[in-house]
């Protein structure tokens, strides 16, 4: 089972004793900060929870799965997310 945005907002509102509207604003704010920081190439580290950074992907050759034709895939960026120590310990203990 996964947690969707609505369920996440409800749980955060309950745990932090906030209204759902305030919890939604907090999630939206976090999303905006993550996007802005990663677009600028700045890593985001939430100690104990996670580290998020932008990674570069080199240009490479690939194949069109429908035709088998070789294609050139342009260079671009990806996102790398690493679990922090607190999160790793919490998951390992269950």
């Amino acid at each position: 089972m996964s947690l969707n945005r609505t369920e996440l907002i409800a749980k955060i509102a309950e745990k932090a004793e906030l209204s759902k509207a305030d919890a939604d604003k907090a999630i939206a704010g976090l999303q905006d900060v993550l996007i802005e920081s990663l677009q600028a190439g700045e890593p985001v580290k939430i100690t104990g929870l996670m580290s998020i950074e932008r990674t570069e992907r080199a240009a490479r050759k690939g194949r069109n799965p429908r035709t088998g034709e070789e294609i050139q895939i342009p260079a671009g960026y990806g996102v790398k997310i690493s679990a922090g120590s607190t999160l790793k310990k919490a998951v390992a203990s269950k």
Side-chain angles (χ1 to χ4, degrees):
M1 184 170 115
S2 65
L3 201 61
N4 67 32
R5 183 183 174 106
T6 304
E7 294 165 338
L8 178 63
I9 288 168
K11 286 191 176 226
I12 289 173
E14 181 183 329
K15 292 264 186 192
E17 297 178 359
L18 298 171
S19 69
K20 286 183 182 178
D22 287 340
D24 186 38
K25 287 178 189 175
I27 294 291
L30 175 63
Q31 180 178 328
D32 291 344
V33 169
L34 288 174
I35 289 170
E36 290 169 8
S37 296
L38 294 173
Q39 282 178 335
E42 301 168 351
V44 177
K45 296 181 182 191
I46 304 171
T47 304
L49 185 62
M50 70 177 115
S51 297
I52 307 169
E53 61 184 294
R54 184 173 81 169
T55 59
E56 289 188 49
R57 291 190 184 146
R60 61 196 188 280
K61 292 181 182 178
R63 291 211 177 268
N64 181 330
R66 288 189 183 181
T67 64
E69 174 188 355
E70 190 172 275
I71 58 172
Q72 184 63 32
I73 301 169
Y77 296 99
V79 177
K80 177 183 173 188
I81 302 174
S82 302
S85 60
T86 305
L87 182 58
K88 285 180 186 178
K89 287 177 189 174
V91 172
S93 67
K94 290 275 176 172

